[in-house]
Amino acid sequence: MAARHLRILSGCNGALLSVRFFSDSTLAQEPIASTAIDSASVSPSINTAENHSQLNNNKKHSAPSSLKHAELAKFSAIADTWWDSEGPYKPLHALNPTRLAFIRSTLCRHFRKDPYSARPFEGLNIVDVGCGGGILSEPLARMGATVTGIDAVEKNIKIARLHADLDPETSTIEYCCTTAEKLVEEQRKFDAVIASEVIEHVADPAEFCKSLSALTVSEGATVISTINRSMRAYATAIIAAEHILHWLPKGTHQWSSFLTPEELVLILQRASIDVKEMAGFVYNPLTGRWSLSGDISVNFIAFGTKNS
């Protein structure tokens, strides 16, 4: 059965007026769990140390930074475990196929690429902001994209490079220990900018989104995934994931730093990015798998395009 996304209908002030489902047959061959999840399913939110990518550990950067420096040490402490699928990043490894399914579907539709191709992103220049150890950058490269992965933690970049060099298809990834703001200074531009599990860890989400917009070519694509600031997210992302299930170290998340979908839509709109599609990530505790859903009350992902 085809997965479902949410299509965004927003007012002139950026408020989220409504969302509606639409079927997407192009996801039929995506590596995503197709198990139906009912509304009672527990969906522990995950948002891991990929966020540290926007932690600016170089105070000499002339570009203004939207980063929280205190986050740097917190996430660099577990940097060695990026490619341990049973380690601290196990939830993120489980989520990866689902977020890739959304990215593949939206980018193929926007750039008029063949979603059934083995390398649908051929010819696209993509930056993975907050690449961590490269678990999202590598499959993007295997799908044909020219990938740049950036992270503010040098240790993560070293691990990402070492792992990418094990496969000729991923050895071409350009990994840089830098920030989005620094790339803007360098006047870098990309067809698609992806920031997955990052924005809730920056000091100034609005400035961060302005940097993402500046990195995106006119009519290019921006994809952001994050956690909703809802009571359900507090219960799952903090109480369940950190204190009960111990999926993440305690203190990984601050509920007050989460953004609601409405806030994200407005922030992006002010940065000249119009959100076109949105979907939720829902976890099935029986199968241990994530799936795309219309439920955006906890984890969600948004796709937008840069105004020309």
Side-chain angles (χ1 to χ4, degrees):
M1 181 175 67
R4 298 187 297 171
H5 297 214
L6 290 170
R7 183 154 291 168
I8 305 303
L9 302 176
S10 58
C12 60
N13 65 349
L16 194 64
L17 298 180
S18 65
V19 292
R20 63 184 176 86
F21 291 114
F22 70 98
S23 62
D24 181 11
S25 60
T26 64
L27 281 179
Q29 294 188 357
E30 297 295 343
I32 177 174
S34 59
T35 306
I37 311 299
D38 61 36
S39 60
S41 294
V42 178
S43 55
S45 172
I46 67 130
N47 188 282
T48 68
E50 266 189 307
N51 50 57
H52 52 48
S53 66
Q54 281 308 299
L55 306 175
N56 185 0
N57 61 343
N58 187 348
K59 294 184 180 179
K60 295 181 181 180
H61 282 177
S62 57
S65 175
S66 61
L67 311 181
K68 292 181 179 178
H69 300 282
E71 301 279 277
L72 185 61
K74 182 196 302 183
F75 295 112
S76 63
I78 54 174
D80 287 333
T81 63
W82 267 109
W83 289 96
D84 179 3
S85 61
E86 295 299 320
Y89 295 102
K90 181 178 180 178
L92 192 58
H93 281 273
L95 178 64
N96 216 32
T98 309
R99 62 178 176 175
L100 280 166
F102 180 89
I103 293 169
R104 180 171 184 158
S105 175
T106 53
L107 294 191
C108 282
R109 186 182 302 107
H110 178 67
F111 292 107
R112 294 182 172 85
K113 298 288 187 177
D114 180 6
Y116 300 103
S117 168
R119 294 172 62 84
F121 294 162
E122 200 81 56
L124 294 182
N125 191 11
I126 299 177
V127 61
D128 179 9
V129 179
C131 64
I135 70 172
L136 183 60
S137 296
E138 288 198 11
L140 292 173
R142 291 191 180 95
M143 285 190 276
T146 298
V147 178
T148 298
I150 67 169
D151 199 291
V153 177
E154 186 175 1
K155 194 173 184 181
N156 290 338
I157 292 299
K158 289 180 178 179
I159 292 170
R161 284 174 179 157
L162 286 171
H163 196 273
D165 286 343
L166 298 175
D167 185 343
E169 281 194 298
T170 58
S171 62
T172 58
I173 298 173
E174 177 191 2
Y175 283 117
C176 304
C177 183
T178 188
T179 64
E181 291 88 354
K182 189 64 176 177
L183 287 190
V184 172
E185 271 195 341
E186 297 170 4
Q187 299 184 340
R188 297 287 298 272
K189 293 286 186 180
F190 302 88
D191 298 307
V193 175
I194 299 173
S196 186
E197 324 309 326
V198 178
I199 194 170
E200 67 276 18
H201 293 272
V202 303
D204 191 335
E207 288 301 314
F208 177 65
C209 286
K210 287 179 182 178
S211 295
L212 299 184
S213 178
L215 293 174
T216 310
V217 299
S218 178
E219 299 185 359
T222 302
V223 179
I224 296 177
S225 63
T226 187
I227 301 175
N228 193 347
R229 194 177 68 254
S230 65
M231 291 309 299
R232 185 178 174 192
Y234 179 79
T236 57
I238 297 176
I239 301 302
E242 296 181 17
H243 296 270
I244 299 176
L245 299 174
H246 304 293
W247 279 9
L248 302 169
K250 293 179 182 179
T252 297
H253 297 115
Q254 297 296 323
W255 185 80
S256 60
S257 296
F258 296 162
L259 294 173
T260 67
E262 292 87 352
E263 289 169 339
L264 182 61
V265 168
L266 182 58
I267 288 172
L268 287 173
Q269 187 177 61
R270 289 174 174 171
S272 300
I273 297 172
D274 287 333
V275 176
K276 304 295 187 182
E277 300 174 30
M278 188 177 289
F281 295 134
V282 176
Y283 180 75
N284 185 337
L286 299 179
T287 64
R289 295 179 177 179
W290 294 82
S291 63
L292 289 173
S293 166
D295 182 358
I296 57 174
S297 64
V298 185
N299 291 85
F300 67 97
I301 186 168
F303 161 81
T305 58
K306 173 80 172 286
N307 295 333
S308 58

